[in-house]
Amino acid sequence: MKHNTYLKSLAATVFMLVALSVGNLSAKPYPVPKMYMFGFAASFNDTIVYFTNVIEVDSVWIESKNKFLLGRSTYSHQLRDYLGAAHHMPMRTCIVMYDQKRSNLEKKLIKMKKLYTKSKDGKTHFDIRYLADDEFHFKAIDWQKLLDEIAQNEAAEQNQNAKNNAEKENRKVKKQKSKKIEAKK
């Protein structure tokens, strides 16, 4: 009976380790020469919504596995910060839609605009404002520099851990030697 319980717990542990190791396989980020984006901003406090046009952004990074844009929140913060500074509309909820094909993204933009312009009762419920291309533009983020800094920090941390482990091992050896010397006395 104890043997069965042991095998079950061992199997569960092995399963969890395999699941965790598969989950830790991270997608490698890679640069894309250009990406198309548009931004949308709204607030729960008023009916004003903002749309940007489809904007071409050079040198963005995406994840290889799921094609997610790295720094989506950073791009949406660019729009939020702009609206706070230039239009005195701080803390708007902003999103960024993106695609590598301009035509696909334009379809998404049209669909999203329809959500805010057409209503079943024929009334307009939102004050829709458009940001011109010369007014706002997303700025690309240099992810290679950031990834290099992360790699350097991880390498420094590993070196520090190796030094700490070596020091612990040296103290352990010295302690054992001192115990042997005391035992001989």
mmCIF file of all heavy atoms in Angstrom, residues 9 21 23 27 33 73 113 117 137 147:
data_model
loop_
_atom_site.group_PDB
_atom_site.id
_atom_site.type_symbol
_atom_site.label_atom_id
_atom_site.label_comp_id
_atom_site.label_asym_id
_atom_site.label_seq_id
_atom_site.Cartn_x
_atom_site.Cartn_y
_atom_site.Cartn_z
ATOM 1 N N SER A 9 2.843 9.535 -5.949
ATOM 2 C CA SER A 9 3.438 10.851 -5.675
ATOM 3 C C SER A 9 4.651 11.089 -6.563
ATOM 4 O O SER A 9 4.881 12.211 -7.024
ATOM 5 C CB SER A 9 3.806 10.992 -4.202
ATOM 6 O OG SER A 9 4.808 10.061 -3.861
ATOM 7 N N SER A 21 8.874 22.455 -17.027
ATOM 8 C CA SER A 21 9.983 22.649 -17.962
ATOM 9 C C SER A 21 9.477 22.999 -19.357
ATOM 10 O O SER A 21 10.077 23.799 -20.052
ATOM 11 C CB SER A 21 10.864 21.402 -18.014
ATOM 12 O OG SER A 21 10.143 20.324 -18.570
ATOM 13 N N GLY A 23 6.656 24.615 -19.895
ATOM 14 C CA GLY A 23 6.130 25.971 -19.754
ATOM 15 C C GLY A 23 7.227 27.019 -19.741
ATOM 16 O O GLY A 23 7.005 28.167 -20.090
ATOM 17 N N ALA A 27 9.634 31.945 -25.884
ATOM 18 C CA ALA A 27 9.770 32.305 -27.286
ATOM 19 C C ALA A 27 10.897 33.305 -27.424
ATOM 20 O O ALA A 27 11.082 34.183 -26.599
ATOM 21 C CB ALA A 27 8.461 32.897 -27.789
ATOM 22 N N PRO A 33 11.254 44.444 -39.514
ATOM 23 C CA PRO A 33 11.611 45.746 -40.099
ATOM 24 C C PRO A 33 10.529 46.806 -39.959
ATOM 25 O O PRO A 33 10.829 47.965 -39.730
ATOM 26 C CB PRO A 33 11.874 45.445 -41.566
ATOM 27 C CG PRO A 33 11.811 43.978 -41.721
ATOM 28 C CD PRO A 33 11.303 43.369 -40.472
ATOM 29 N N SER A 73 2.433 47.353 -23.881
ATOM 30 C CA SER A 73 2.052 48.327 -22.855
ATOM 31 C C SER A 73 2.856 49.613 -22.988
ATOM 32 O O SER A 73 2.330 50.702 -22.733
ATOM 33 C CB SER A 73 2.232 47.729 -21.461
ATOM 34 O OG SER A 73 3.587 47.418 -21.223
ATOM 35 N N LYS A 113 -14.037 51.355 -35.264
ATOM 36 C CA LYS A 113 -14.731 52.640 -35.388
ATOM 37 C C LYS A 113 -16.238 52.441 -35.475
ATOM 38 O O LYS A 113 -17.010 53.225 -34.929
ATOM 39 C CB LYS A 113 -14.234 53.400 -36.621
ATOM 40 C CG LYS A 113 -12.883 54.054 -36.426
ATOM 41 C CD LYS A 113 -12.465 54.790 -37.684
ATOM 42 C CE LYS A 113 -11.115 55.430 -37.530
ATOM 43 N NZ LYS A 113 -10.673 56.110 -38.765
ATOM 44 N N THR A 117 -19.393 54.367 -33.615
ATOM 45 C CA THR A 117 -20.164 55.335 -34.404
ATOM 46 C C THR A 117 -21.592 54.880 -34.655
ATOM 47 O O THR A 117 -22.500 55.698 -34.685
ATOM 48 C CB THR A 117 -19.480 55.610 -35.757
ATOM 49 O OG1 THR A 117 -19.269 54.377 -36.448
ATOM 50 C CG2 THR A 117 -18.174 56.334 -35.563
ATOM 51 N N HIS A 137 2.776 60.069 -33.122
ATOM 52 C CA HIS A 137 3.410 58.961 -33.824
ATOM 53 C C HIS A 137 4.065 58.048 -32.783
ATOM 54 O O HIS A 137 4.704 58.531 -31.860
ATOM 55 C CB HIS A 137 4.463 59.491 -34.806
ATOM 56 C CG HIS A 137 4.884 58.471 -35.808
ATOM 57 N ND1 HIS A 137 4.133 58.188 -36.919
ATOM 58 C CD2 HIS A 137 5.957 57.655 -35.857
ATOM 59 C CE1 HIS A 137 4.742 57.244 -37.621
ATOM 60 N NE2 HIS A 137 5.840 56.909 -36.997
ATOM 61 N N LEU A 147 17.525 43.688 -24.157
ATOM 62 C CA LEU A 147 17.840 42.261 -24.032
ATOM 63 C C LEU A 147 19.311 42.055 -23.668
ATOM 64 O O LEU A 147 19.642 41.163 -22.874
ATOM 65 C CB LEU A 147 17.500 41.525 -25.328
ATOM 66 C CG LEU A 147 16.014 41.428 -25.664
ATOM 67 C CD1 LEU A 147 15.829 40.849 -27.058
ATOM 68 C CD2 LEU A 147 15.284 40.594 -24.642
#
